[in-house]
């Protein structure tokens, strides 16, 4: 920006940057820490739980039905909610179950010896706690709303920060590298501004790609863009729960791109001309069908919840282009829906690639390290911002930069904020609250 830009305009942007930081930096720091932990789940899990995940392979594996029988013997009254076959020869099979008292457990079984290796309440593991804090702050829907609010304001924080960083003259020191010998105040300012510049692009990416998982913005986006042709089903499904009912904060069974797709119903007959099917297909039979349908590896099987439910087969893969979700009739095994990456619209495709990179999965360890660097820089920005404010604020005051006008009179900024509020619903109410707060502070001044 030019040095001739109005000082009051710069100061008002500074003030909005201050308010945005005050609102969201504590939450963004928590997201950075928990996100960094969850990024390395593939590496951490075998180190933390080798007795549950790792085993010595044998020549012959038992069937899924045999393991399920062992499971039912150990846990009477349990209900299977998901089965994940062993992803490698030296890995255990995983059964997610709901106990008779409603509690959920993840049970690990040796698929060669049909031996239960142990169980886990995933919600209270390191990764589970990190994921719940990252997704809903351990507060359920209210926490999800706060996360969405923080992400929305975080976008404003990055954009206003870039404006404040923009140099009046080109130079490396103080712009792209911090000045180390110019005093503490300059050092902290440079550390904040330079680190903010370097991570601004990745941080914006993380904020935008995290929004699709939120309850308000994400669900509205899904309703608009997640549309699939009726040809994916033999018959249009009745009004039923959506596929997102298979997902939770702790367990994303199916991709975001199919969450708004309806769950079809199983027919009680394999074909209209055939007699009533007496029983549902077994887990072993469904797994055999999955092999024939090329649904290995990365497969998970979610069994039907009632007599009309379906078996849902999903592939948990790092490359979104390989995603696939199948719904099978529980009685006949007939494919009722087969949704592949090619069936997604361009927005869901972009979202899925964004999510894969956000979670550090798309291009392996370099992807994880890139996201980790953004988390570290975000923590550094937050700490340096607090130090800057403590060094500059009047003693004993919760002070923001002063301007000759209230934020209510800043027409250009108000229009920008209104546009953001229309795009990001959680910004609207909070912006109104900030306007009121700023007006009261101006009156007091």
């Amino acid at each position: 920006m030019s040095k001739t830009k109005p000082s009051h305009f710069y100061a008002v942007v500074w003030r909005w940057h201050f308010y945005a930081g005050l609102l969201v930096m504590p939450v963004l720091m928590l997201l950075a820490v928990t996100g960094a932990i969850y990024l390395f789940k593939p590496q951490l899990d075998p180190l933390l739980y080798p007795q549950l995940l790792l085993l010595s392979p044998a020549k012959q594996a038992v069937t899924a039905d045999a393991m399920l029988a062992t499971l039912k013997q150990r846990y009477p009254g349990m209900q299977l909610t998901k089965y994940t076959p062993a992803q490698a020869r030296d890995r255990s099979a995983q059964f997610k179950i709901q106990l008779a008292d409603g509690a959920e457990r993840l049970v690990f079984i040796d698929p060669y010896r049909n031996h239960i290796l142990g169980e886990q309440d995933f919600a209270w593991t390191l990764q589970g706690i990190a994921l719940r804090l990252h997704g809903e702050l351990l507060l359920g829907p209210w926490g999800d709303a706060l996360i969405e609010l923080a992400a929305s304001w975080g976008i404003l924080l990055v954009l206003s920060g870039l404006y404040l960083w923009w140099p009046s003259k080109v130079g490396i020191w103080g712009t792209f590298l911090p000045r180390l010998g110019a005093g503490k105040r300059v050092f902290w300012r440079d550390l904040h501004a330079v680190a903010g510049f370097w991570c601004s692009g990745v941080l914006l990416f993380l904020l935008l790609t995290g929004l699709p998982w939120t309850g308000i913005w994400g669900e509205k986006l899904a309703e608009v863009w997640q549309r699939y042709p009726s040809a994916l089903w033999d018959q249009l499904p009745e009004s039923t729960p959506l596929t997102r009912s298979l997902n939770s904060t702790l367990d994303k069974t199916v991709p975001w791109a199919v969450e708004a797709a309806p769950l079809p119903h199983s027919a009680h007959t394999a074909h209209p001309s055939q007699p009533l099917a007496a029983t549902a297909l077994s887990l072993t039979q469904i797994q055999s069908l999955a092999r024939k349908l090329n649904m290995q590896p990365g497969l998970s099987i979610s069994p039907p919840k009632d007599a009309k439910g379906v078996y849902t087969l999903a592939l948990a893969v790092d490359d979104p282009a390989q995603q696939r979700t199948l719904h099978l009739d529980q009685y006949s095994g007939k494919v009722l829906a087969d949704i592949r990456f090619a069936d997604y619209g361009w927005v869901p495709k972009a979202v899925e690639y964004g999510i894969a990179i956000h979670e550090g999965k798309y291009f392996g360890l370099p992807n994880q390290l890139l996201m980790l660097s953004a988390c570290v820089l975000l923590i550094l920005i937050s700490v340096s911002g607090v130090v800057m404010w403590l060094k500059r604020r009047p003693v004993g005051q919760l002070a923001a930069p002063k301007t000759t006008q209230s934020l209510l009179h800043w027409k250009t900024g108000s229009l920008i904020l209104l546009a953001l509020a229309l795009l990001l619903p959680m910004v609207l109410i909070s912006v109104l609250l900030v306007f009121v707060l700023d007006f009261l502070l101006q009156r007091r001044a």
Side-chain angles (χ1 to χ4, degrees), residues 21-77:
L22 190 67
L23 280 170
V24 306
M25 269 308 177
V27 178
L28 291 182
M29 284 186 68
L30 180 63
L31 293 180
V33 173
T34 54
I37 293 173
Y38 196 73
L39 270 174
F40 292 91
K41 185 179 188 298
Q43 291 92 343
L44 287 175
D45 278 357
L47 294 175
L48 294 173
Y49 316 110
Q51 74 283 5
L52 299 178
L53 295 172
L54 305 178
L55 49 86
S56 299
K59 291 183 179 180
Q60 187 67 37
V62 300
T63 65
D65 290 344
M67 289 187 283
L68 185 58
T70 299
L71 202 60
K72 289 180 177 179
Q73 187 176 8
R74 172 73 69 88
Y75 302 94

Side-chain angles (χ1 to χ4, degrees), residues 203-417:
L203 186 54
L204 265 178
F205 173 83
L206 286 171
L207 293 169
L208 289 170
T209 54
L211 280 173
W213 286 118
T214 59
I216 299 174
W217 195 91
E219 286 195 16
K220 294 301 180 186
L221 181 70
E223 289 173 5
V224 172
W225 291 104
Q226 291 175 358
R227 296 287 184 267
Y228 298 95
S230 59
L232 290 173
W233 291 267
D234 283 348
Q235 296 179 348
L236 285 173
E238 303 173 32
S239 179
T240 62
L242 300 180
T243 305
R244 72 164 52 98
S245 63
L246 298 172
N247 282 347
S248 66
T249 299
L250 286 171
D251 188 8
K252 306 299 183 187
T253 299
V254 297
W256 176 89
V258 301
E259 280 195 333
L263 280 171
H265 287 166
S266 289
H268 282 261
T269 60
H271 189 273
S273 63
Q274 295 179 5
L276 182 69
T279 58
L281 296 176
S282 70
L283 200 56
T284 298
Q285 289 173 310
I286 294 296
Q287 189 174 359
S288 177
L289 284 173
R291 293 191 189 97
K292 294 177 182 178
L293 293 166
N294 297 317
M295 287 290 285
Q296 296 270 13
L299 171 70
S300 70
I301 301 174
S302 299
K305 296 181 180 179
D306 52 39
K308 286 189 175 183
V310 294
Y311 278 103
T312 296
L313 282 59
L315 290 180
V317 288
D318 295 340
D319 183 358
Q322 305 302 316
Q323 289 178 356
R324 190 178 175 193
T325 305
L326 285 174
H327 298 303
L328 303 183
D329 187 296
Q330 65 170 298
Y331 302 105
S332 66
K334 185 178 181 180
V335 177
L336 302 177
D338 185 353
I339 307 176
R340 308 186 188 212
F341 187 78
D343 298 311
Y344 302 169
W346 69 270
V347 169
K349 284 179 179 177
V351 168
E352 287 299 337
Y353 273 113
I355 289 172
I357 298 172
H358 183 114
E359 294 181 337
K361 295 178 178 179
Y362 185 54
F363 49 94
L365 183 60
N367 192 166
Q368 291 175 302
L369 295 176
L370 177 62
M371 297 300 108
L372 177 63
S373 67
C375 294
V376 173
L377 285 174
L378 178 56
I379 295 171
L380 183 62
I381 294 167
S382 303
V383 172
S384 59
V386 171
V387 173
M388 284 173 57
W389 174 63
L390 290 175
K391 286 182 173 294
R392 295 184 179 190
R393 72 184 178 95
V395 178
Q397 294 185 31
L398 181 65
K402 296 180 180 180
T403 64
T404 58
Q405 293 182 323
S406 166
L407 294 180
L408 288 168
H409 298 123
W410 187 36
K411 296 179 182 178
T412 303
S414 299
L415 290 175
I416 294 172
L417 287 170

Side-chain angles (χ1 to χ4, degrees), residues 1-5 9-10 162-164 166-169:
M1 294 294 174
S2 168
K3 285 185 177 181
T4 61
K5 61 188 174 186
F9 183 82
Y10 184 90
L162 283 173
Y163 172 83
L164 296 172
W166 196 272
S168 57
K169 60 180 181 180

